[in-house]
Amino acid sequence: MRIHDKYFELFLSQDDIRQAVITMAESITRDYRGCELVCIVVLKGSFIFAADLVRAIELPCRVEFLSAKSYGSSMHSSGDVAIHVPDIDITGKHVVLIEDIVDTGLTLSVLKAALQNFHPASMEIAALISKPEMRKVQLHVQYVGIEIPPVFIVGYGLDYAEYGRNLPEIWALAEEH
Ligand code: IMP
């Protein structure tokens, strides 16, 4: 499958993704019973994952959105993280940050620091995909769906230069031939 100038091959099926999302939602449901839970969705990439995850969490919760951008249109984290944090009321609330993928960890460490200023009761991260070998900063990710090696992926919300987000599966950049 081709997006712009690159070829991608199937990497995770809809079923693989569904299983991971259900397992994460079960853990969150178990851990936050009786808590005032606020799910904060990190746009844009997490919009599809978040829609599935929050529907599988069997607890009352608020859903808020903020945006972060680090990749630009390339395939490598720029290191510069642009975040837009609206004035969200999370003081004294239990927050779960919903992120599509953790790569270097820079985006989420900047976001977490910014949100700590609002004094939540707790803050954890739920990431569908993690690339642990790519980490540049130490970051605790409480809920991880699937760990993968350092490959570039698209689909299920993730993009390559803004395309590929609507693919229902996850596709990996094919080896050059
Ligand atoms: P980090 O700050 O390096 O952890 O990068 C996090 C952000 O980079 C994610 O929210 C994605 O938007 C983007 N990203 C990281 N890896 C990939 C990938 O394989 N495909 C598409 N986007 C990615």
Side-chain angles (χ1 to χ4, degrees):
M1 197 255 321
R2 185 177 161 168
I3 301 178
H4 300 303
D5 54 332
K6 304 285 183 203
Y7 288 90
F8 292 83
E9 53 202 12
L10 189 61
F11 188 65
L12 295 168
S13 69
Q14 293 188 59
D15 227 46
D16 296 332
I17 299 168
R18 200 174 300 122
Q19 277 309 320
V21 171
I22 287 168
T23 305
M24 294 174 82
E26 282 171 355
S27 304
I28 293 170
T29 302
R30 193 184 53 233
D31 295 350
Y32 289 89
R33 206 170 288 289
C35 295
E36 273 199 72
L37 175 62
V38 183
C39 293
I40 302 186
V41 183
V42 185
L43 296 171
K44 296 181 193 175
S46 309
F47 76 113
I48 293 179
F49 166 50
D52 286 342
L53 185 70
V54 298
R55 282 182 292 179
I57 294 174
E58 295 178 5
L59 295 173
C61 69
R62 265 173 49 209
V63 183
E64 301 284 353
F65 299 86
L66 54 77
S67 63
K69 199 175 169 108
S70 72
Y71 255 37
S73 57
S74 83
M75 290 191 169
H76 303 284
S77 274
S78 62
D80 291 331
V81 183
I83 55 171
H84 173 67
V85 181
D87 194 5
I88 306 175
D89 173 24
I90 52 169
T91 307
K93 309 284 193 301
H94 294 275
V95 170
V96 173
L97 280 171
I98 302 183
E99 175 67 300
D100 48 4
I101 186 165
V102 186
D103 186 36
T104 62
L106 287 166
T107 306
L108 281 172
S109 59
V110 169
L111 260 180
K112 269 190 94 170
L115 290 170
Q116 289 295 0
N117 293 329
F118 296 101
H119 306 292
S122 70
M123 184 159 34
E124 297 293 353
I125 294 167
L128 177 65
I129 307 285
S130 172
K131 297 184 199 172
E133 290 166 54
M134 294 295 289
R135 232 41 120 247
K136 284 193 183 150
V137 288
Q138 221 192 346
L139 181 76
H140 174 69
V141 185
Q142 180 74 15
Y143 306 100
V144 179
I146 302 165
E147 286 196 347
I148 66 166
V151 288
F152 185 81
I153 54 174
V154 294
Y156 198 67
L158 289 158
D159 72 305
Y160 168 45
E162 294 302 329
Y163 280 81
R165 293 192 197 276
N166 60 326
L167 296 164
E169 315 84 8
I170 291 180
W171 297 68
L173 184 66
E175 302 274 323
E176 304 275 341
H177 293 292

